[in-house]
Protein backbone atom coordinates (compact mmCIF):
# COMPACT_ATOMS: atom_id res chain seq x y z
CA UNK A 1 0.00 0.00 0.00
CA UNK A 2 2.78 2.40 0.89
CA UNK A 3 4.53 1.61 -2.40
CA UNK A 4 1.31 2.41 -4.29
CA UNK A 5 0.88 5.70 -2.43
CA UNK A 6 4.40 6.72 -3.45
CA UNK A 7 4.23 5.47 -7.04
CA UNK A 8 0.56 5.02 -7.99
CA UNK A 9 -0.34 3.16 -11.17
CA UNK A 10 -2.78 0.51 -12.39
CA UNK A 11 -5.84 2.73 -12.72
CA UNK A 12 -7.37 5.60 -14.67
CA UNK A 13 -8.57 8.85 -13.17
CA UNK A 14 -11.86 9.86 -14.81
CA UNK A 15 -13.78 12.87 -13.50
CA UNK A 16 -12.04 12.61 -10.17
CA UNK A 17 -12.83 8.88 -9.80
CA UNK A 18 -10.43 5.92 -9.89
CA UNK A 19 -11.62 3.54 -12.63
CA UNK A 20 -10.28 0.54 -14.59
CA UNK A 21 -8.31 -0.60 -11.56
CA UNK A 22 -5.74 -3.36 -12.15
CA UNK A 23 -4.69 -4.64 -8.68
CA UNK A 24 -1.59 -6.47 -9.91
CA UNK A 25 -0.23 -3.44 -11.77
CA UNK A 26 -1.03 -1.30 -8.73
CA UNK A 27 0.77 -3.65 -6.33
CA UNK A 28 3.84 -4.28 -8.47
CA UNK A 29 4.77 -0.67 -9.13
CA UNK A 30 8.34 0.71 -9.35
CA UNK A 31 8.38 1.44 -5.60
CA UNK A 32 7.47 -2.11 -4.56
CA UNK A 33 10.94 -3.78 -4.71
CA UNK A 34 12.73 -1.21 -2.55
CA UNK A 35 9.80 -0.59 -0.18
CA UNK A 36 9.08 -4.25 0.54
CA UNK A 37 12.71 -5.35 0.81
CA UNK A 38 13.63 -2.39 3.03
CA UNK A 39 10.74 -3.08 5.42
CA UNK A 40 11.60 -6.79 5.63
CA UNK A 41 15.32 -6.20 6.18
CA UNK A 42 14.73 -3.55 8.85
CA UNK A 43 12.18 -5.79 10.60
CA UNK A 44 14.68 -8.65 10.78
CA UNK A 45 17.35 -6.22 11.98
CA UNK A 46 15.10 -4.99 14.78
CA UNK A 47 14.12 -8.52 15.83
CA UNK A 48 17.74 -9.65 16.02
CA UNK A 49 18.79 -6.46 17.81
CA UNK A 50 16.02 -6.84 20.42
CA UNK A 51 17.09 -10.43 21.15
CA UNK A 52 20.72 -9.32 21.37
CA UNK A 53 19.69 -6.70 23.94
CA UNK A 54 18.00 -9.38 26.06
CA UNK A 55 21.09 -11.60 25.98
CA UNK A 56 23.37 -8.66 26.84
CA UNK A 57 21.09 -7.68 29.73
CA UNK A 58 21.29 -11.20 31.15
CA UNK A 59 25.09 -11.18 30.98
CA UNK A 60 25.20 -7.73 32.60
CA UNK A 61 23.17 -9.14 35.48
CA UNK A 62 25.87 -11.72 36.07
CA UNK A 63 24.59 -14.79 34.26
CA UNK A 64 27.33 -17.26 33.36
CA UNK A 65 25.09 -19.52 31.31
CA UNK A 66 26.37 -20.73 27.97
CA UNK A 67 22.82 -20.20 26.68
CA UNK A 68 23.05 -16.41 26.85
CA UNK A 69 26.61 -16.35 25.50
CA UNK A 70 25.61 -18.37 22.46
CA UNK A 71 22.41 -16.34 22.08
CA UNK A 72 24.47 -13.15 22.15
CA UNK A 73 26.78 -14.42 19.42
CA UNK A 74 23.94 -15.56 17.15
CA UNK A 75 21.80 -12.44 17.54
CA UNK A 76 24.59 -9.87 17.30
CA UNK A 77 25.98 -11.43 14.13
CA UNK A 78 22.45 -11.64 12.72
CA UNK A 79 21.96 -7.96 13.55
CA UNK A 80 25.12 -7.13 11.61
CA UNK A 81 24.07 -9.15 8.55
CA UNK A 82 20.55 -7.71 8.42
CA UNK A 83 21.77 -4.16 9.16
CA UNK A 84 24.27 -4.28 6.29
CA UNK A 85 21.49 -5.61 4.06
CA UNK A 86 19.22 -2.75 5.14
CA UNK A 87 21.94 -0.21 4.37
CA UNK A 88 22.48 -1.71 0.91
CA UNK A 89 18.76 -1.59 0.16
CA UNK A 90 18.71 1.98 1.46
CA UNK A 91 21.24 2.82 -1.24
CA UNK A 92 18.85 1.42 -3.86
CA UNK A 93 16.07 3.45 -2.26
CA UNK A 94 18.11 6.61 -2.77
CA UNK A 95 18.47 5.82 -6.45
CA UNK A 96 14.74 5.13 -6.68
CA UNK A 97 14.01 8.55 -5.16
CA UNK A 98 16.41 10.27 -7.55
CA UNK A 99 14.48 8.82 -10.50
CA UNK A 100 10.87 8.74 -9.30
CA UNK A 101 10.61 11.16 -6.34
CA UNK A 102 13.37 13.73 -6.83
CA UNK A 103 11.55 16.33 -4.72
CA UNK A 104 11.69 14.01 -1.70
CA UNK A 105 15.42 13.34 -2.13
CA UNK A 106 16.06 17.06 -2.55
CA UNK A 107 14.11 17.93 0.61
CA UNK A 108 15.93 15.19 2.55
CA UNK A 109 19.26 16.73 1.60
CA UNK A 110 18.33 20.44 1.51
CA UNK A 111 19.36 20.37 -2.13
CA UNK A 112 17.79 23.37 -3.90
CA UNK A 113 19.69 23.88 -7.16
CA UNK A 114 19.94 21.22 -9.87
CA UNK A 115 23.61 20.36 -10.26
CA UNK A 116 26.21 17.71 -10.81
CA UNK A 117 28.82 16.74 -8.21
CA UNK A 118 26.23 17.48 -5.52
CA UNK A 119 27.39 17.17 -1.90
CA UNK A 120 25.50 15.30 0.80
CA UNK A 121 24.43 17.49 3.73
CA UNK A 122 24.59 16.01 7.23
CA UNK A 123 23.13 17.93 10.16
CA UNK A 124 23.14 21.70 10.21
CA UNK A 125 20.55 24.45 10.45
CA UNK A 126 18.65 26.17 7.67
CA UNK A 127 17.04 29.63 7.66
CA UNK A 128 14.15 31.11 5.69
CA UNK A 129 16.53 32.04 2.85
CA UNK A 130 17.69 28.42 2.57
CA UNK A 131 21.15 29.27 3.86
CA UNK A 132 22.66 26.24 5.58
CA UNK A 133 24.97 26.59 8.58
CA UNK A 134 26.91 24.20 10.82
CA UNK A 135 26.40 21.27 8.44
CA UNK A 136 28.87 18.62 7.37
CA UNK A 137 29.09 18.57 3.59
CA UNK A 138 30.42 15.39 2.02
CA UNK A 139 31.63 16.23 -1.53
CA UNK A 140 30.00 14.34 -4.44
CA UNK A 141 28.17 11.97 -2.04
CA UNK A 142 24.63 12.96 -3.06
CA UNK A 143 25.44 12.50 -6.75
CA UNK A 144 26.96 9.10 -5.96
CA UNK A 145 23.88 8.15 -3.95
CA UNK A 146 21.61 9.21 -6.81
CA UNK A 147 23.49 7.54 -9.65
CA UNK A 148 26.76 5.90 -8.51
CA UNK A 149 28.82 8.58 -10.24
CA UNK A 150 30.19 11.90 -8.91
CA UNK A 151 28.91 13.74 -12.00
CA UNK A 152 25.32 12.48 -11.71
CA UNK A 153 22.88 15.36 -12.02
CA UNK A 154 20.62 15.72 -8.98
CA UNK A 155 17.39 17.69 -9.42
CA UNK A 156 17.00 20.54 -6.93
CA UNK A 157 13.95 21.50 -4.90
CA UNK A 158 13.64 24.81 -6.75
CA UNK A 159 12.37 22.85 -9.77
CA UNK A 160 9.09 22.14 -7.96
CA UNK A 161 6.24 24.48 -6.92
CA UNK A 162 6.44 25.46 -3.27
CA UNK A 163 3.04 23.94 -2.53
CA UNK A 164 4.29 20.53 -3.73
CA UNK A 165 7.54 20.42 -1.75
CA UNK A 166 7.93 18.05 1.21
CA UNK A 167 8.66 19.60 4.64
CA UNK A 168 12.35 20.35 5.12
CA UNK A 169 12.26 18.74 8.57
CA UNK A 170 12.61 15.31 6.93
CA UNK A 171 16.31 16.13 6.58
CA UNK A 172 16.69 15.47 10.30
CA UNK A 173 14.73 12.21 10.12
CA UNK A 174 17.07 11.01 7.38
CA UNK A 175 20.21 12.05 9.25
CA UNK A 176 19.11 10.39 12.48
CA UNK A 177 18.11 7.25 10.62
CA UNK A 178 21.53 7.08 8.94
CA UNK A 179 23.22 7.61 12.32
CA UNK A 180 21.25 4.77 13.87
CA UNK A 181 22.06 2.57 10.88
CA UNK A 182 25.78 3.20 11.35
CA UNK A 183 25.50 2.24 15.04
CA UNK A 184 23.64 -0.97 14.13
CA UNK A 185 26.60 -1.95 11.95
CA UNK A 186 29.43 -0.59 14.12
CA UNK A 187 28.42 -2.12 17.48
CA UNK A 188 28.15 -5.69 16.13
CA UNK A 189 31.51 -5.15 14.43
CA UNK A 190 33.05 -4.23 17.78
CA UNK A 191 31.60 -7.42 19.24
CA UNK A 192 32.97 -9.59 16.43
CA UNK A 193 36.47 -8.09 16.86
CA UNK A 194 36.27 -7.82 20.67
CA UNK A 195 39.22 -10.17 21.19
CA UNK A 196 41.46 -7.58 19.53
CA UNK A 197 40.20 -4.76 21.73
CA UNK A 198 42.13 -3.59 24.83
CA UNK A 199 41.39 -5.54 28.02
CA UNK A 200 41.22 -9.20 28.97
CA UNK A 201 37.49 -9.66 29.59
CA UNK A 202 35.71 -11.61 26.85
CA UNK A 203 32.60 -9.48 27.37
CA UNK A 204 33.59 -5.95 28.47
CA UNK A 205 30.83 -4.18 30.37
CA UNK A 206 30.90 -1.16 28.04
CA UNK A 207 30.42 -3.44 25.04
CA UNK A 208 27.48 -5.22 26.66
CA UNK A 209 25.91 -1.83 27.41
CA UNK A 210 26.30 -0.88 23.74
CA UNK A 211 24.70 -4.17 22.67
CA UNK A 212 21.90 -3.55 25.18
CA UNK A 213 21.21 -0.32 23.29
CA UNK A 214 20.91 -2.15 19.94
CA UNK A 215 17.23 -2.99 20.41
CA UNK A 216 16.04 0.57 21.18
CA UNK A 217 18.34 1.92 18.46
CA UNK A 218 16.82 -0.38 15.83
CA UNK A 219 13.27 0.45 16.94
CA UNK A 220 13.93 4.18 16.77
CA UNK A 221 15.42 3.68 13.29
CA UNK A 222 12.16 2.05 12.16
CA UNK A 223 10.12 4.96 13.54
CA UNK A 224 12.40 7.45 11.81
CA UNK A 225 12.06 5.50 8.57
CA UNK A 226 8.27 5.69 8.68
CA UNK A 227 8.34 9.40 9.58
CA UNK A 228 10.62 9.92 6.59
CA UNK A 229 8.39 7.87 4.27
CA UNK A 230 5.05 9.38 5.28
CA UNK A 231 6.00 13.00 5.96
CA UNK A 232 8.36 12.97 2.99
CA UNK A 233 5.44 12.19 0.69
CA UNK A 234 3.61 15.35 1.75
CA UNK A 235 1.58 17.15 0.58
CA UNK A 236 0.44 14.00 -1.29
CA UNK A 237 -1.36 11.00 0.15
CA UNK A 238 -1.36 9.42 -3.34
CA UNK A 239 1.53 11.12 -5.09
CA UNK A 240 0.49 13.24 -8.03
CA UNK A 241 -3.23 12.44 -7.71
CA UNK A 242 -4.61 13.23 -4.25
CA UNK A 243 -3.35 15.51 -1.51
CA UNK A 244 -3.73 14.83 2.19
CA UNK A 245 -6.13 17.76 2.52
CA UNK A 246 -8.40 16.13 -0.07
CA UNK A 247 -8.34 12.73 1.62
CA UNK A 248 -8.83 13.87 5.22
CA UNK A 249 -12.08 12.51 6.62
CA UNK A 250 -14.75 14.61 8.32
CA UNK A 251 -16.29 11.61 10.11
CA UNK A 252 -17.01 12.40 13.79
CA UNK A 253 -16.24 8.79 14.82
CA UNK A 254 -12.52 8.80 14.02
CA UNK A 255 -11.57 9.97 17.50
CA UNK A 256 -13.53 7.16 19.16
CA UNK A 257 -12.01 4.55 16.85
CA UNK A 258 -8.52 5.83 17.69
CA UNK A 259 -9.29 5.64 21.41
CA UNK A 260 -10.62 2.08 21.08
CA UNK A 261 -7.49 0.97 19.20
CA UNK A 262 -5.26 2.55 21.86
CA UNK A 263 -7.16 0.69 24.61
CA UNK A 264 -6.98 -2.57 22.63
CA UNK A 265 -3.21 -2.35 22.14
CA UNK A 266 -2.68 -1.39 25.79
CA UNK A 267 -4.63 -4.48 26.90
CA UNK A 268 -2.67 -6.70 24.48
CA UNK A 269 0.66 -5.21 25.62
CA UNK A 270 -0.07 -5.64 29.33
CA UNK A 271 -1.33 -9.20 28.76
CA UNK A 272 1.77 -10.16 26.74
CA UNK A 273 4.12 -8.70 29.38
CA UNK A 274 2.34 -10.56 32.19
CA UNK A 275 2.36 -13.89 30.36
CA UNK A 276 6.02 -13.64 29.37
CA UNK A 277 7.15 -12.45 32.80
CA UNK A 278 5.37 -15.35 34.53
CA UNK A 279 6.78 -17.79 31.99
CA UNK A 280 10.38 -16.74 32.62
CA UNK A 281 9.87 -16.29 36.35
CA UNK A 282 8.55 -19.81 36.81
CA UNK A 283 11.19 -21.50 34.70
CA UNK A 284 14.47 -20.01 33.51
CA UNK A 285 15.98 -20.71 30.11
CA UNK A 286 18.72 -22.81 31.73
CA UNK A 287 16.16 -25.01 33.51
CA UNK A 288 14.22 -25.57 30.32
CA UNK A 289 17.42 -26.54 28.50
CA UNK A 290 18.24 -29.09 31.21
CA UNK A 291 14.76 -30.58 31.06
CA UNK A 292 15.01 -30.89 27.28
CA UNK A 293 18.54 -32.28 27.44
CA UNK A 294 19.96 -29.32 25.52
CA UNK A 295 22.36 -28.04 28.16
CA UNK A 296 25.82 -28.02 26.59
CA UNK A 297 28.99 -29.05 28.32
CA UNK A 298 31.15 -26.25 29.59
CA UNK A 299 30.11 -22.69 30.14
CA UNK A 300 32.36 -20.46 28.12
CA UNK A 301 30.30 -20.16 24.94
CA UNK A 302 32.77 -17.66 23.64
Amino acid sequence: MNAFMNQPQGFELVNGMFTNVNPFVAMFNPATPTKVSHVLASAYTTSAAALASIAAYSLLRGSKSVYFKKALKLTVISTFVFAVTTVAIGDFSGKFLAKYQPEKLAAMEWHFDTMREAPLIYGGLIDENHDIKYALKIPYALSILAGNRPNTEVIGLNEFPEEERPPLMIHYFFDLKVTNGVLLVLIPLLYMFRKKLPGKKPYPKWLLVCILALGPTAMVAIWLGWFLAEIGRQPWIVRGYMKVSEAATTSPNVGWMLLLFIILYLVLSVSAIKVLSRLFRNKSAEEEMKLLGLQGKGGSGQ
Side-chain angles (χ1 to χ4, degrees):
M1 184 62 182
N2 185 265
F4 171 80
M5 294 162 75
N6 281 277
Q7 197 63 33
Q9 63 178 36
F11 63 89
E12 293 180 10
L13 190 64
V14 180
N15 297 325
M17 300 291 292
F18 292 105
T19 61
N20 297 328
V21 177
N22 187 324
F24 290 102
V25 175
M27 286 190 293
F28 298 102
N29 59 72
T32 299
T34 54
K35 290 291 182 182
V36 172
S37 58
H38 196 70
V39 167
L40 289 175
S42 59
Y44 282 121
T45 301
T46 303
S47 300
L51 294 173
S53 294
I54 295 171
Y57 177 73
S58 299
L59 293 176
L60 281 169
R61 292 186 62 187
S63 175
K64 303 296 183 182
S65 172
V66 67
Y67 172 84
F68 292 111
K69 294 175 182 178
K70 290 185 175 181
L72 187 73
K73 181 178 181 180
L74 174 63
T75 54
V76 171
I77 293 176
S78 296
T79 300
F80 174 77
V81 172
F82 291 129
V84 171
T85 302
T86 305
V87 170
I89 297 171
D91 179 69
F92 293 131
S93 297
K95 291 167 177 54
F96 164 82
L97 291 178
K99 183 176 181 179
Y100 293 100
Q101 287 182 277
E103 75 281 4
K104 184 175 181 179
L105 181 64
M108 283 165 46
E109 284 304 316
W110 291 347
H111 178 71
F112 295 94
D113 298 318
T114 300
M115 61 183 293
R116 299 180 185 274
E117 301 180 353
L120 187 144
I121 307 295
Y122 182 86
L125 298 172
I126 190 169
D127 60 22
E128 62 276 6
N129 297 319
H130 299 159
D131 291 326
I132 302 171
K133 299 179 181 179
Y134 315 118
L136 173 65
K137 295 185 178 182
I138 306 175
Y140 313 119
L142 184 56
S143 288
I144 294 173
L145 175 64
N148 285 332
R149 298 190 309 276
N151 66 341
T152 300
E153 183 178 80
V154 183
I155 299 174
L157 206 55
N158 290 333
E159 302 289 337
F160 303 92
E162 288 191 20
E163 64 273 13
E164 295 184 5
R165 297 178 187 176
L168 296 179
M169 72 170 70
I170 66 172
H171 171 75
Y172 295 113
F173 296 148
F174 178 70
D175 285 356
L176 289 171
K177 182 184 177 185
V178 169
T179 302
N180 283 21
V182 170
L183 291 174
L184 288 167
V185 172
L186 179 60
I187 293 173
L189 268 178
L190 290 174
Y191 169 83
M192 289 188 284
F193 290 96
R194 67 190 184 283
K195 292 182 180 179
K196 296 184 179 181
L197 297 175
K200 298 181 180 180
K201 292 184 178 180
Y203 302 99
K205 185 176 181 180
W206 65 267
L207 181 57
L208 290 176
V209 170
C210 289
I211 296 173
L212 178 63
L214 279 178
T217 299
M219 184 60 69
V220 170
I222 281 185
W223 292 341
L224 291 168
W226 279 115
F227 291 157
L228 178 61
E230 302 304 318
I231 298 177
R233 193 179 59 249
Q234 305 297 312
W236 304 102
I237 191 166
V238 180
R239 183 180 180 272
Y241 291 92
M242 180 184 291
K243 293 187 176 181
V244 174
S245 58
E246 299 169 334
T249 181
T250 57
S251 173
N253 300 318
V254 174
W256 286 109
M257 289 298 297
L258 177 61
L259 179 61
L260 288 173
F261 271 108
I262 291 174
I263 294 174
L264 172 63
Y265 280 107
L266 282 174
V267 171
L268 291 174
S269 298
V270 172
S271 301
I273 291 171
K274 281 191 172 182
V275 170
L276 291 173
S277 61
R278 287 181 180 178
L279 177 66
F280 287 105
R281 189 182 298 120
N282 294 337
K283 190 179 294 182
S284 67
E286 296 94 322
E287 291 174 337
E288 285 197 9
M289 290 175 65
K290 288 180 180 179
L291 288 174
L292 295 172
L294 299 176
Q295 183 70 51
K297 297 179 180 181
S300 64
Q302 296 178 22

